[in-house]
Amino acid sequence: NAGVTQTPKFRVLKTGQSMTLLCAQDMNHEYMYWYRQDPGMGLRLIHYSVGEGTTAKGEVPDGYNVSRLKKQNFLLGLESAAPSQTSVYFCASSPTGNSNQPQHFGDGTRLSIL
Amino acid sequence: SQQGEEDPQALSIQEGENATMNCSYKTSINNLQWYRQNSGRGLVHLILIRSNEREKHSGRLRVTLDTSKKSSSLLITASRAADTASYFCATDVYSNSGYALNFGKGTSLLVTP
């Protein structure tokens, strides 16, 4: 049982390049989330999805787009990467929208923008 | 904005000692969760406490919740080197779009042999 899998694990980009981070979960969870983690800032929610075909903005959505075309996948896109987007990105999922259920996290994607 | 704030930011203890971390939050909650993050890994759920609960135990973990003070504490008893990690509290946030978690900045725990 893989849980939540993020690809790639590491990536270095140049300013202005674009890329897509992939998150896949095999637990049939409805809710999926993208966070970024910066030193001293904890985790901040970028976007989330409450089900296939839906997305919603979190705390820091600017500069990112997301898509949830399939229930098991949640994609995070950077259209024009900026150095301020250097961070560790975590994907998470939860069974439903009930807050008495924990979120399950992947091991992160470490992204550097030069 | 971040809802939870952990205290202290860093904690260093020896094996066998107890470790206590505190979390304060700003608005009403339904549930509060604690997570652990080992270096270079994702977060792992430890324990959830509901707003109508005051204390909860899981193995060597004890969590308390005081909704009147909007605070929670995580106690790890008889710490081991393997407990070295960062610990985060998270509170639920609801909007028209659904439910999400607000995480604090974390407490970094170092347990030395």
Side-chain angles (χ1 to χ4, degrees):
Chain A
N1 189 352
V4 178
T5 303
Q6 293 183 234
T7 53
K9 297 188 185 307
F10 304 93
R11 187 73 183 267
V12 178
L13 290 178
K14 294 181 180 179
T15 298
Q17 287 185 318
S18 63
M19 79 161 296
T20 300
L21 282 64
L22 171 64
C23 175
Q25 52 95 2
D26 61 2
M27 297 171 284
N28 201 35
H29 286 175
E30 289 292 334
Y31 277 55
M32 296 187 74
Y33 312 83
W34 275 108
Y35 296 90
R36 61 178 288 173
Q37 185 177 34
D38 302 295
M41 295 295 292
L43 276 79
R44 293 183 291 171
L45 182 65
I46 305 171
H47 286 281
Y48 63 106
S49 168
V50 304
E52 181 178 319
T54 73
T55 62
K57 293 181 179 180
E59 180 187 354
V60 288
D62 294 342
Y64 305 96
N65 57 74
V66 288
S67 64
R68 182 99 181 270
L69 298 179
K70 293 183 178 181
K71 186 177 183 178
Q72 63 268 33
N73 295 335
F74 195 28
L75 307 179
L76 177 70
L78 285 73
E79 292 181 342
S80 180
S84 61
Q85 293 177 305
T86 293
S87 188
V88 182
Y89 292 86
F90 288 98
C91 176
S93 69
S94 61
T96 70
N98 195 323
S99 67
N100 66 5
Q101 294 172 326
Q103 292 186 8
H104 300 256
F105 283 80
D107 280 337
T109 293
R110 283 143 187 85
L111 183 61
S112 293
I113 316 290
L114 304 178
Chain B
S1 61
Q2 291 182 297
Q3 163 84 304
E5 291 289 339
E6 290 89 346
D7 172 62
Q9 288 187 327
L11 180 61
S12 182
I13 60 174
Q14 291 188 317
E15 268 190 328
E17 294 181 336
N18 295 341
T20 300
M21 289 157 267
N22 302 298
C23 169
S24 60
Y25 57 92
K26 299 175 183 175
T27 60
S28 299
I29 61 171
N30 294 297
N31 304 286
L32 185 144
Q33 303 181 36
W34 284 91
Y35 288 78
R36 183 188 74 223
Q37 183 181 31
N38 290 93
S39 180
R41 302 298 299 273
L43 278 71
V44 174
H45 179 259
L46 293 176
I47 195 166
L48 180 149
I49 187 165
R50 303 174 195 272
S51 59
N52 62 355
E53 296 176 313
R54 292 297 167 258
E55 188 170 311
K56 200 163 183 180
H57 296 255
S58 177
R60 294 184 296 111
L61 305 180
R62 173 178 168 251
V63 169
T64 62
L65 179 64
D66 187 337
T67 54
S68 67
K69 295 181 179 179
K70 292 187 171 59
S71 67
S72 173
S73 67
L74 171 67
L75 168 67
I76 304 174
T77 60
S79 296
R80 306 166 181 168
D83 295 327
T84 293
S86 291
Y87 293 82
F88 296 87
C89 69
T91 54
D92 49 16
V93 177
Y94 285 91
S95 68
N96 291 335
S97 302
Y99 135 72
L101 285 178
N102 260 347
F103 286 86
K105 297 179 181 180
T107 291
S108 179
L109 174 65
L110 174 64
V111 182
T112 55

